[in-house]
Amino acid sequence: MLAWKDFNKKSLSGYIFLALIIFLLDYWPLFVPLKNIFNWPFQSLRESVYCLNNGDWQKIFSSGRTSSLEQENQKLKEERVRLIGEVALLQGLNDENQKLKSLIDFYPEDYHFLPAKVIGRSGDYLIINQGEKAGVLLGQLVVSAQHLVGRITEVYTHEARLVKLGSSLLEWPVLIFADQPDCFSNSIVCQKGRGIVSGQIIKEILREEEVAEGDLVVLLDDPAGILVGRIVQIWESQDKLFKQAKIEKLINPDRLTEVFLIVK
Amino acid sequence: MTKSNFTWSILVLVLFLTAFLEAVLIPFPLTLVLIIILAFYYGERVFVWAFWVGLWQDLLSWRHLGSWSIIFLITVYLINHLKYRVFGLNQEKLSLPD
């Protein structure tokens, strides 16, 4: 008691020291039990005060009828959120339906499609959510509408990895044709040249072939006609025997969320 | 209970209520203002309550424990220092009797 009185007389330095000690000790969970004891009786008070701070005065002072109306309102809001989710789901299904329809219109009848979702990417690869269980095979082509996305290189039970279009890991024989009406559905007639695409470069285009910037590039075979890209630059190769061209992709594989695997 | 003690008790109660109001309702440093006023009139006697009110406010406002105590104590010290050393007011007159 005497020590406490003495402490009181010393005042400032003692209190500041004590406050500093408490301040430092609060970096450890030493005062947590004290805070819990303190907070327990104040919990409902805090809730009321939080409502007050949010301007939600009605929640505290509302009558029984008002309260039930508010509950009903809250339920309606939750129902609205659920319905918005359902609409989004239906919209997604509709989009998928539209894409499948365009695939059926474009490809021969004996081709089928397996839809897959892109679930990740790393470097030149995309990862899809279909694997061996769904019948995915090595070398299978992956498309998005009429555009080539890549080729399956690794198959796991429930996942598969594909090399993206534009990667230098794969080479594709391609056909070059003019970007004119009716040429897309009949590319063989409008063809201007052939080559082998590796990465974003088309190699081994014969010098006499009249390829030009803006021409479209499609896969040559198996199945033919899948869009690879558009020529943006042409130059002669170092050995002067061939031409080379740079292509730009018409889709960005990194932005895709849904793709289709071609099943023969 | 003497009149002086009664007044002082009321003031301490008001101090704690102000800290409560500040922590839960009004985002304005009301307690600090009140501490400054009390420090000016009651001098060193406010030290002990500045310390406890600081802790009380830290607990109410979920702040780091001891932070408001330190702020209040330093404020009280500065007020006292200004009062006695800068403005030259007579310490004996303003200090409360033992």
Side-chain angles (χ1 to χ4, degrees):
Chain A
M1 196 68 189
L2 197 67
W4 174 246
K5 278 185 180 176
D6 194 39
F7 175 75
N8 265 350
K9 291 247 170 75
K10 283 176 187 169
S11 315
L12 183 68
S13 54
Y15 282 115
I16 287 185
F17 180 72
L18 196 59
L20 273 172
I21 294 285
I22 291 171
F23 185 82
L24 291 173
L25 287 176
D26 200 28
Y27 280 104
W28 288 276
L30 201 69
F31 293 113
V32 171
L34 171 73
K35 285 179 180 176
N36 287 337
I37 292 167
F38 183 84
N39 287 327
W40 175 68
F42 285 94
Q43 203 169 26
S44 59
L45 187 66
R46 274 184 197 288
E47 192 187 343
S48 306
V49 167
Y50 182 75
C51 294
L52 284 172
N53 279 337
N54 287 333
D56 196 5
W57 295 82
Q58 286 182 344
K59 192 174 177 182
I60 298 162
F61 301 110
S62 60
S63 65
R65 179 172 157 67
T66 323
S67 182
S68 70
L69 281 172
E70 275 169 12
Q71 281 177 4
E72 193 181 329
N73 189 27
Q74 185 62 33
K75 276 184 186 168
L76 285 170
K77 279 181 182 171
E78 285 168 9
E79 182 72 9
R80 184 173 166 268
V81 170
R82 191 182 65 78
L83 288 171
I84 288 170
E86 276 184 17
V87 168
L89 181 70
L90 287 172
Q91 187 65 47
L93 289 172
N94 185 48
D95 290 349
E96 188 182 327
N97 191 27
Q98 291 291 332
K99 284 174 190 168
L100 279 168
K101 192 171 177 297
S102 75
L103 288 173
I104 290 164
D105 291 343
F106 179 76
Y107 292 96
E109 281 181 10
D110 54 339
Y111 281 91
H112 302 282
F113 300 95
L114 176 68
K117 295 219 180 302
V118 180
I119 54 171
R121 66 169 194 267
S122 65
D124 285 339
Y125 295 91
L126 288 179
I127 302 157
I128 56 171
N129 70 341
Q130 300 284 19
E132 203 178 341
K133 286 255 179 189
V136 178
L137 301 169
L138 274 175
Q140 220 167 356
L141 286 183
V142 183
V143 295
S144 172
Q146 294 95 341
H147 302 276
L148 181 68
V149 176
R151 188 189 289 272
I152 299 289
T153 53
E154 288 173 49
V155 182
Y156 304 98
T157 313
H158 297 287
E159 288 176 8
R161 286 208 329 166
L162 60 107
V163 179
K164 286 188 294 189
L165 172 67
S167 163
S168 54
L169 297 170
L170 287 177
E171 293 192 339
W172 319 79
V174 289
L175 187 71
I176 303 162
F177 67 96
D179 184 13
Q180 287 169 0
D182 301 327
C183 273
F184 189 62
S185 56
N186 194 9
S187 53
I188 302 296
V189 177
C190 298
Q191 73 166 321
K192 293 172 85 176
R194 294 179 185 201
I196 294 170
V197 68
S198 172
Q200 290 191 313
I201 307 292
I202 306 175
K203 299 180 290 188
E204 297 178 26
I205 306 167
L206 294 175
R207 285 190 67 186
E208 58 272 20
E209 288 176 332
E210 297 289 323
V211 293
E213 288 174 14
D215 285 348
L216 292 174
V217 181
V218 295
L219 280 190
L220 183 60
D221 53 18
D222 211 22
I226 299 177
L227 259 176
V228 174
R230 184 194 301 277
I231 292 178
V232 289
Q233 194 182 352
I234 301 166
W235 67 92
E236 283 193 349
S237 62
Q238 284 182 340
D239 53 16
K240 308 282 184 189
L241 292 174
F242 296 100
K243 284 182 192 171
Q244 290 188 340
K246 186 180 179 185
I247 57 165
E248 67 170 1
K249 287 177 280 188
L250 299 173
I251 54 160
N252 182 0
D254 290 337
R255 303 292 295 257
L256 292 173
T257 55
E258 195 172 49
V259 291
F260 295 92
L261 287 96
I262 296 177
V263 183
K264 290 176 196 172
Chain B
M1 187 184 274
T2 62
K3 193 181 174 183
S4 167
N5 279 342
F6 179 74
T7 312
W8 181 240
S9 305
I10 294 291
L11 283 173
V12 168
L13 189 69
V14 169
L15 196 60
F16 275 84
L17 276 173
T18 312
F20 173 78
L21 282 176
E22 186 188 328
V24 299
L25 269 182
I26 310 156
F28 182 79
L30 278 177
T31 321
L32 188 65
V33 172
L34 197 60
I35 286 277
I36 290 169
I37 295 166
L38 289 177
F40 189 82
Y41 284 103
Y42 292 93
E44 293 164 355
R45 198 178 172 183
V46 182
F47 281 148
V48 62
W49 297 114
F51 173 76
W52 288 113
V53 167
L55 284 185
W56 166 255
Q57 195 164 329
D58 288 333
L59 281 167
L60 282 173
S61 56
W62 291 89
R63 284 176 66 99
H64 201 87
L65 218 56
S67 54
W68 270 118
S69 291
I70 294 168
I71 293 167
F72 289 162
L73 285 167
I74 290 170
T75 306
V76 174
Y77 168 76
L78 286 174
I79 294 295
N80 273 292
H81 183 76
L82 285 171
K83 198 170 78 175
Y84 299 135
R85 303 288 164 85
V86 178
F87 298 119
L89 296 174
N90 189 345
Q91 188 171 4
E92 286 178 12
K93 276 187 184 174
L94 288 165
S95 294
L96 289 169
D98 292 333

